[in-house]
Amino acid sequence: MKKVSKICCIGAGYVGGPTMSVIANQCPEIQVTVVDINQERIDRWNDEDLDKLPIYEPGLKEIVGANRGKNLFFSTEVDKAIDEAEIIFISVNTPTKTYGKGKGQAADLKFVELCARNIAKVATTDKIVVEKSTLPVRTASAIKSILENTGNQVNFEILSNPEFLAEGTAVDDLLNADRVLIGGDDTPSGKAAKDTLSSIYAHWLPKERILQTNVWSSELSKLVANAFLAQRVSSINAISALCERTDANIAEVSRAIGTDSRIGSKFLNASVGFGGSCFQKDILNLVYIARSFGLPEVADYWEQVIIMNDYQKKRFADHIISTLYNTVSGKKIAFYGWAFKKDTNDTRESAAIYVADALLEERAEITVYDPKVSEERIYADLDYLETRSPEENRRLLKVVKEPMQAAEEAHAIALLTEWDEFKTYNWDTVYEKMLKPAFLFDGRRMLSKEAMEKKGFQYYKIGQS
Ligand SMILES: NC(=O)C1=CN([C@@H]2O[C@H](COP(=O)(O)OP(=O)(O)OC[C@H]3O[C@@H](n4cnc5c(N)ncnc54)[C@H](O)[C@@H]3O)[C@@H](O)[C@H]2O)C=CC1
Ligand SMILES: O=C(O)[C@H]1O[C@H](OP(=O)(O)OP(=O)(O)OC[C@H]2O[C@@H](n3ccc(=O)[nH]c3=O)[C@H](O)[C@@H]2O)[C@H](O)[C@@H](O)[C@@H]1O
């Protein structure tokens, strides 16, 4: 098996940055270079002030601080890094297509294709090219075709090595991965490439957690893993609606079913709806693939996971409106949390965006407090929807840096992200600052109904009547 001395990763995002930092940390003899065309992002990865890294993840700045400049480098010199590396990870974004065939469902592979063409153009020595991005099944054959037809007689082995980390726990997920999946050809050179990549992960993970499959199984498994996880959230959210109509309590139902070892207890927290850059995108992609292979029943089955998630977000917004006497026009509603989950500054597809959009349509005045998300990001999220003008968004929605400021004279508070700090607030003070009756809508089931009602709040918790 080949001993690896230099690797590079194209794409310094939520996956490329943390993944490569952990590899550099665990493999001191390997030089790891992360490249990106986004100069600002690379500058932030190189910022001396580790609090300015472009991605917030617990434990990440310590790892970057310990390895950067030794065997971990961030650069915009894409061609140089490609040429020098023996293994090249492609970890660029693969968003849902917003144009043309497959618009709104298929994955947009233009960034991946650009990477493949760039590798083909620049490479002068044999390379292992690793798909780290989440890609539709059979993408490897497209990459292979580009590399083989435009390259300079260089030998390329293509592997699929999807990433399973979750944001907010990325470093821990990478260090203690349940499994690493490596798909590749079953030819002698394909097997050797799989073993070479396995040897990197074997620096810190037991061998039995490094799974090797064929390339198609690996690509498909990534989409399926996300689809199953999201399906659990939609399933429990569907039941949360039923709980609110009966005297059942979703926490008790989750515990009752989750203690069945066949069902398992994880991922059964009812919420205002799942967000994040991948669940929706990957399911839509799965739906698109199923439909293109002539399997409409399979496509419809998985599409329902998204439909239920949209319903949950809308249901939460509608409940706020109906509780506030059917009008939120001119009423101040404080949002606690904008990120799609705690411990990340990522807001992609966050439920908060859609709940805010629905309330702004009713002319509510929203004040947002999130401990990690910037004002700029919040406005960009809303503007992206193009529901109203950017000026109107800035007129109706304000961003504040203090939670108590958000509560000042608010008619209602909506909890949208499960940041731990929300549990530690002095809710008596929050109550005092608000207009009465003071409504509290808990989209993350964080607080105690009994305790909040005792303080005087009109309290609503998803999944509880
Ligand atoms: N965000 C997450 O938690 C997870 C994401 N994934 C998958 O990983 C892939 C990457 O996702 P993220 O890291 O979240 O995306 P991201 O958007 O944070 O980062 C992608 C980066 O690639 C760069 N890029 C795009 N084209 C480039 C090119 N031609 N040359 C150099 N750089 C280029 C962009 O400038 C950007 O900085 C996606 O396929 C996603 O589905 C998989 C598991 C977890
Ligand atoms: O491909 C990806 O991008 C990643 O997607 C998810 O990770 P992530 O989106 O970062 O975060 P999750 O912890 O899965 O949460 C996703 C959403 O579901 C919500 N959720 C999760 C669990 C739960 O019980 N209830 C619930 O509402 C979260 O609040 C969040 O909005 C998967 O967990 C990762 O394995 C995968 O690598």
Side-chain angles (χ1 to χ4, degrees):
M1 192 198 332
K2 226 168 117 192
K3 218 163 176 287
V4 182
S5 65
K6 282 188 183 174
I7 66 176
C8 106
C9 174
I10 310 178
Y14 282 87
V15 169
T19 310
M20 293 302 128
S21 301
V22 166
I23 291 181
N25 193 60
Q26 303 305 115
C27 311
E29 80 284 8
I30 301 180
Q31 182 183 309
V32 180
T33 307
V34 192
V35 291
D36 205 294
I37 42 175
N38 182 336
Q39 181 73 54
E40 192 229 326
R41 219 172 206 187
I42 290 298
D43 289 345
R44 290 180 64 189
W45 279 112
N46 283 323
D47 203 303
E48 272 190 28
D49 180 355
L50 289 166
D51 286 322
K52 298 221 172 97
L53 294 185
I55 285 157
Y56 171 73
E57 278 293 337
L60 181 62
K61 69 176 179 183
E62 289 78 6
I63 290 193
V64 172
N67 300 288
R68 200 176 55 188
K70 290 184 189 153
N71 67 328
L72 175 65
F73 301 91
F74 296 92
S75 160
T76 49
E77 288 186 88
V78 181
D79 292 0
K80 180 168 176 272
I82 290 174
D83 192 31
E84 288 177 0
E86 297 133 70
I87 302 184
I88 301 160
F89 291 83
I90 300 179
S91 187
V92 298
N93 33 332
T94 49
T96 304
K97 264 187 101 175
T98 51
Y99 56 89
K101 194 163 172 256
K103 178 179 169 181
Q105 289 204 322
D108 191 343
L109 299 181
K110 73 175 173 222
F111 304 111
V112 172
E113 184 173 334
L114 276 172
C115 289
R117 290 190 186 278
N118 203 19
I119 296 168
K121 186 177 78 180
V122 170
T124 52
T125 52
D126 293 355
K127 311 280 181 205
I128 296 175
V129 177
V130 183
E131 301 174 347
K132 191 52 137 171
S133 297
T134 302
L135 297 168
V137 60
R138 301 206 75 86
T139 305
S141 62
I143 295 183
K144 199 178 173 71
S145 154
I146 291 168
L147 290 173
E148 284 174 356
N149 289 303
T150 43
N152 346 331
Q153 310 311 312
V154 167
N155 185 38
F156 295 106
E157 277 305 326
I158 293 128
L159 300 179
S160 157
N161 172 219
E163 184 48 61
F164 295 100
L165 67 80
E167 289 178 29
T169 52
V171 172
D172 192 50
D173 290 344
L174 287 160
L175 288 171
N176 302 298
D178 284 345
R179 77 335 203 155
V180 161
L181 183 55
I182 299 176
D185 286 347
D186 278 330
T187 56
S189 60
K191 281 186 184 149
K194 285 194 266 193
D195 287 344
T196 303
L197 184 56
S198 300
S199 74
I200 293 182
Y201 291 106
H203 278 71
W204 74 96
L205 290 172
K207 281 207 167 59
E208 59 279 8
R209 289 202 215 159
I210 303 171
L211 313 182
Q212 295 190 358
T213 63
N214 79 31
V215 73
W216 323 122
S217 304
S218 171
E219 288 178 337
L220 185 59
S221 298
K222 173 63 197 177
L223 297 183
V224 174
N226 274 355
F228 268 61
L229 289 168
Q231 182 196 42
R232 275 177 80 92
V233 179
S234 275
S235 297
I236 206 71
N237 281 344
I239 301 303
S240 76
L242 198 52
C243 285
E244 288 171 30
R245 297 289 166 90
T246 60
D247 274 337
N249 175 336
I250 196 67
E252 292 178 354
V253 176
S254 292
R255 198 180 61 209
I257 63 166
T259 41
D260 185 325
S261 61
R262 292 168 303 174
I263 296 175
S265 61
K266 292 182 181 162
F267 253 70
L268 288 179
N269 294 320
S271 69
V272 56
F274 62 75
S277 63
C278 295
F279 277 180
Q280 173 160 315
K281 152 175 98 63
D282 292 350
I283 294 174
L284 288 173
N285 191 3
L286 189 66
V287 167
Y288 180 74
I289 292 169
R291 214 156 262 147
S292 18
F293 280 100
L295 301 168
E297 288 82 359
V298 177
D300 291 348
Y301 176 78
W302 287 106
E303 195 163 20
Q304 199 59 37
V305 174
I306 305 282
I307 292 170
M308 185 52 62
N309 196 47
D310 289 341
Y311 166 72
Q312 189 76 347
K313 292 180 274 190
K314 186 172 177 304
R315 197 168 78 77
F316 188 73
D318 286 349
H319 185 75
I320 295 178
I321 297 164
S322 64
T323 308
L324 294 183
Y325 317 110
N326 287 317
T327 175
V328 289
S329 173
K331 291 183 180 166
K332 177 172 171 182
I333 301 177
F335 271 34
Y336 279 3
W338 189 265
F340 82 97
K341 62 187 280 197
K342 72 171 180 176
D343 291 340
T344 177
N345 60 351
D346 196 348
T347 64
R348 289 177 287 182
E349 292 300 331
S350 179
I353 304 169
Y354 298 93
V355 174
D357 194 50
L359 296 177
L360 292 176
E361 274 307 88
E362 295 290 326
R363 308 236 175 287
E365 292 178 8
I366 297 177
T367 305
V368 182
Y369 165 74
D370 186 289
K372 289 282 175 217
V373 180
S374 69
E375 176 170 335
E376 203 185 350
R377 182 70 259 152
I378 293 171
Y379 286 130
D381 289 337
L382 275 178
D383 293 347
Y384 183 77
L385 298 181
E386 294 182 355
T387 314
R388 64 196 72 70
S389 70
E391 295 73 35
E392 190 72 348
N393 283 332
R394 279 150 193 78
R395 193 177 68 74
L396 291 171
L397 184 142
K398 304 283 175 221
V399 182
V400 295
K401 291 198 161 52
E402 285 296 324
M404 293 304 155
Q405 197 185 340
E408 201 78 59
E409 306 229 316
H411 288 81
I413 293 181
L415 278 178
L416 275 312
T417 311
E418 74 283 22
W419 287 104
D420 288 335
E421 66 172 61
F422 297 160
K423 286 194 194 142
T424 67
Y425 288 176
N426 183 338
W427 284 93
D428 288 315
T429 314
V430 176
Y431 179 75
E432 275 163 31
K433 289 186 177 296
M434 293 174 67
L435 296 181
K436 310 295 173 316
F439 293 96
L440 180 49
F441 299 94
D442 190 344
R444 292 295 183 163
R445 301 188 46 82
M446 291 191 78
L447 305 172
S448 149
K449 185 174 166 71
E450 209 189 344
M452 290 300 135
E453 284 180 345
K454 223 163 142 194
K455 292 182 195 302
F457 284 104
Q458 305 282 320
Y459 178 79
Y460 160 80
K461 192 176 198 171
I462 283 219
Q464 214 165 323
S465 60

